[in-house]
Structure formats: C-alpha cells, structure tokens
Amino acid sequence: LPRLAGGVGRVASFIVVALALAIGCVGVAGSALHEQEDDWRGVAQHILAAARSDDIVLFVPGWNEKPFAYYARGRVATEGDTPIPIAAEAVPALVTNVAAGRQRLWLVYAEGHYADPSGSLRTYLDGAYDVEQQQRFRDGISVSLYNLGP
C-alpha cells in the first residue's frame, strides 16, 4: 500500500508541473503575439515624411524623445525637456519657448499620461493654432502637427 501511495503522489506532482508549464507557455505565447512597445519607427517615418527644416517635435512625456531620436537620426529638431507634470499656467511659456522661430510644431503625445494629467498642453495648442494633421499610433501615442504661422 505505501508503494501505491508513492506512485499516486508522483503522478499528482507530474500533473501539477505539467499544468504549470502549460499555463506558462500560454502566457509566453500571448506576450510574444502582442506588441507592447510603442511604434517609434512608425512615428518617426510619419513625421519625417512631412517634416520641414524649421519644424520642431515636442514630446509628452519628454523621455519619449529618446526612442524617436533613434529612428529620426537628427533629421528634425526635437524638444524633450517638458516638465512633469505640466502645469496649465506654464503651458503658454513652454510653447512660446519651444516654438520660437518655428512655423510648425509636431506634438508627440502619450494619451492619458501623468506628465499632462489634465491635457492642458494639447488643449492650449488646439485652441491657439491650426491643426494640419493628426495620427494615432498603437499604445496611446498620438501625433499632431500645428501650424504656428500668422
């Protein structure tokens, strides 16, 4: 009888391990099939296809400038030094400083990010300037082009 109980225990252990491995494989497969990174190559291609020499690209949050810069390779001016969080009263000065001497501004914006919790930067830009184009990319990244000219 003890020999029989030991065999059942080994079978039960084998089943538990097999189930754990199966669940792990499903999780790994799910992660592999779902892209979880922002499409910085696509964002850079989109902007570079229409960018002019005097354009500037502003990022919210600012650290998103780095993956964009990898693909853009210096072919467009960028600004990633945005405060976190962006205070609504600071937005006009921020835009004035970034846009000085520029005719157009690209906003690369992570939707719902804590860097601009109230959406004050986008709201300000939408009210003050004409939007020439907007494009949404996966994982909540949107790109808007604003005409800053007279």
Side-chain angles (χ1 to χ4, degrees):
L1 190 63
R3 186 173 178 185
L4 181 63
V8 170
R10 275 191 230 127
V11 170
S13 295
F14 175 78
I15 290 171
V16 168
V17 169
L19 284 172
L21 285 173
I23 290 169
C25 288
V26 168
V28 168
S31 293
L33 295 174
H34 174 71
E35 289 192 61
Q36 296 178 356
E37 295 182 14
D38 301 320
D39 182 14
W40 293 113
R41 180 179 302 172
V43 170
Q45 288 172 343
H46 174 76
I47 291 173
L48 293 173
R52 297 180 188 160
S53 60
D54 66 340
D55 287 359
I56 184 96
V57 185
L58 177 63
F59 296 86
V60 175
W63 57 74
N64 282 343
E65 179 186 21
K66 292 197 182 299
F68 173 86
Y70 175 82
Y71 293 105
R73 306 243 184 239
R75 291 177 279 178
V76 64
T78 60
E79 177 59 56
D81 190 20
T82 52
I84 296 178
I86 298 172
E89 60 274 3
V91 168
L94 171 67
V95 171
T96 298
N97 290 338
V98 169
R102 308 288 180 170
Q103 291 297 310
R104 303 186 325 162
L105 180 143
W106 297 85
L107 177 63
V108 178
Y109 193 84
E111 301 290 341
H113 194 275
Y114 63 83
D116 188 13
S118 63
S120 56
L121 179 60
R122 170 172 284 147
T123 300
Y124 176 81
L125 289 170
D126 286 349
Y129 303 107
D130 292 332
V131 179
E132 289 189 14
Q133 63 173 276
Q134 289 185 319
Q135 176 74 36
R136 292 186 65 81
F137 291 84
R138 70 173 171 252
D139 289 340
I141 299 294
S142 67
V143 175
S144 302
L145 173 59
Y146 295 91
N147 184 339
L148 306 174

